[in-house]
Amino acid sequence: MAMLEQNQLYPLKFQPLYFARIWGGSQLSEFLHRQLPPSEEPIGESWELVDREAVQSQVVNGPLAGHTIHELIEFYGRSLLGSKWTGGRFPLLVKLIDAGQRLSLQVHPDEQACAKLGNGAEPKTEMWYIIAALRGAKIMAGLSPRGTRRQLVENLNSPDVENLLQVYPSQPGDAYFISAGTLHAIGEGNLLLEIQQNSDTTYRVSDWGRVDQSGRSRQLHLQEAMESIDFMNRTSPRIPGVVGDVAHNRKFPMINRCRFFSVDSLLLVSPWRDDTAHGSSFHLISAINQPLALARSMESESLLDLQPGESALIPACFGSYAIRPLAEGLCRVVKTTL
């Protein structure tokens, strides 16, 4: 398959990769109307964009269909990812999480913890954007100001461990910034978009006594977790969404002081003009609640339509483009850059 000239690059959509999880739910199919592959266990994750040695996203639209993200990076480099990219693989991993049960209580290491732990540990800072939440859904993220290391160790196998965490009712439109070292668990009933560093390192502290169909418990990683938890960080990770009516297009920076990624919330009631800022970074556009079209200009025909939950990568060299809502009402969009 031939590559294109740089000036012929276009918004790229990738084939989702689905993974069954013991805690998986049904909102990918029921809320986002995805056609999921047959699976004995429920599907819990859809990897929307990934560039790892064992798992690769493939383009599904246009002349570059069939190419992997890594092939495109090797060929186009900074023309695709931008001048902020420092080399190597695609720096992010983009997922949809569908939690039919609560996920394990877990933590991801930072660079310092990875250096101590070794064994291929990779640092992971991430953010969550809540797409949908069933009644009673909640987020557990961060130690409460009164929770101590000793109390955590003593209550790991008790339901009381939740009392040591910051717990929030899930609200669509809210986001959470989960810096490496933050103890966390996604509660049942959540459907969320996850933007994270390109890492697959997770240390489980508790799995709430859960066992699989064969009666086996999943492995815990208590020693690694204790090395990774940042016991000094008690800040709230919640980024409240906008409530109330929106009469005009509005842009809200959600994460702009993280060295791994920046994330904006776009609330659109009409077409939105944007630009990849002279090639400093790609733009990852994620439709949240309404279908949208990506076009070269406000008036030109659509280059790519996205359904709720879908994302597209706009190459850093692409320049100006437009996002057009395709339905009545407020269109929520998440834009991620480096």
Side-chain angles (χ1 to χ4, degrees), residues 46 56 81 85 124 144 171 207 209-210 215 231 256 260 288:
S46 174
Q56 284 284 310
L81 299 189
W85 174 63
K124 187 200 290 190
S144 73
Q171 179 65 41
D207 207 21
R210 179 165 38 208
F231 286 94
N256 59 7
F260 308 116
I288 299 299

Side-chain angles (χ1 to χ4, degrees), residues 3-303:
M3 294 293 190
L4 300 175
E5 295 293 330
Q6 172 186 315
N7 61 7
Q8 296 177 304
L9 285 174
Y10 56 91
L12 300 165
K13 184 179 168 185
F14 296 86
Q15 180 67 46
L17 298 166
Y18 296 109
F19 294 90
R21 300 292 188 235
I22 192 172
W23 42 260
S26 59
Q27 292 193 79
L28 281 170
S29 58
E30 294 176 359
F31 188 84
L32 294 181
H33 309 295
R34 294 277 182 102
Q35 294 294 321
L36 302 180
S39 175
E40 291 187 5
E41 283 192 325
I43 300 296
E45 297 187 18
S46 174
W47 290 18
E48 301 292 296
L49 182 51
V50 56
D51 176 18
R52 296 185 63 79
E53 187 173 351
V55 188
Q56 284 284 310
S57 292
Q58 284 192 332
V59 179
V60 294
N61 68 309
L64 294 175
H67 282 291
T68 67
I69 179 64
H70 195 67
E71 289 171 340
L72 298 183
I73 292 171
E74 288 187 322
F75 188 85
Y76 295 109
R78 286 187 168 84
S79 295
L80 181 69
L81 299 189
S83 58
K84 291 184 178 180
W85 174 63
T86 57
R89 295 187 176 274
F90 188 71
L92 306 178
L93 203 168
V94 182
K95 301 178 181 178
L96 296 175
I97 303 291
D98 183 0
Q101 301 176 24
R102 60 182 169 178
L103 277 66
S104 63
L105 183 61
Q106 58 186 243
V107 67
H108 309 301
D110 61 12
E111 290 91 340
Q112 186 175 359
C114 289
K116 287 183 180 179
L117 294 168
N119 293 321
E122 300 169 304
K124 187 200 290 190
T125 285
E126 61 191 23
M127 70 83 67
W128 308 329
Y129 184 96
I130 298 178
I131 298 174
L134 302 180
R135 180 177 296 180
K138 56 189 177 183
I139 293 290
M140 292 163 273
L143 286 165
S144 73
R146 61 186 177 277
T148 67
R149 182 189 185 106
R150 179 177 177 179
Q151 288 174 319
L152 180 65
V153 172
E154 290 175 347
N155 288 277
L156 283 180
N157 296 315
S158 165
D160 293 338
V161 71
E162 188 174 318
N163 298 328
L164 304 176
L165 305 173
Q166 299 181 49
V167 183
Y168 304 87
S170 295
Q171 179 65 41
D174 283 358
Y176 290 82
F177 180 61
I178 309 298
S179 57
T182 302
L183 192 63
H184 62 271
I186 298 170
E188 66 182 85
N190 282 292
L191 175 66
L192 55 85
L193 171 70
E194 179 175 284
I195 308 291
Q196 59 163 84
Q197 285 179 270
N198 188 350
S199 164
D200 203 24
T201 300
T202 295
Y203 298 131
R204 283 190 287 269
V205 175
S206 170
D207 207 21
W208 318 106
R210 179 165 38 208
V211 296
D212 64 16
Q213 296 173 348
S214 302
R216 293 188 297 263
S217 303
R218 293 194 295 173
Q219 181 182 3
L220 302 181
H221 316 91
L222 297 181
Q223 181 178 346
E224 296 90 340
M226 289 302 165
E227 284 283 357
S228 301
I229 295 172
D230 181 356
F231 286 94
M232 299 299 292
N233 181 14
R234 305 301 173 100
T235 59
S236 171
R238 178 175 175 255
I239 305 165
V242 175
V243 296
D245 294 331
V246 175
H248 306 285
N249 289 344
R250 300 179 70 181
K251 172 183 173 182
F252 293 91
M254 290 190 293
I255 298 172
N256 59 7
R257 296 183 180 178
C258 170
R259 58 194 176 95
F260 308 116
F261 48 78
S262 296
V263 185
D264 294 329
S265 171
L266 305 180
L267 305 180
L268 308 183
V269 294
S270 61
W272 170 269
R273 193 191 310 274
D274 216 320
D275 194 288
T276 55
H278 307 293
S280 63
S281 172
F282 62 86
H283 287 189
L284 183 78
I285 301 299
S286 302
I288 299 299
N289 69 321
Q290 300 277 15
L292 60 84
L294 297 175
R296 176 55 85 176
S297 68
M298 296 288 211
E299 300 80 21
S300 60
E301 65 182 59
S302 173
L303 296 172

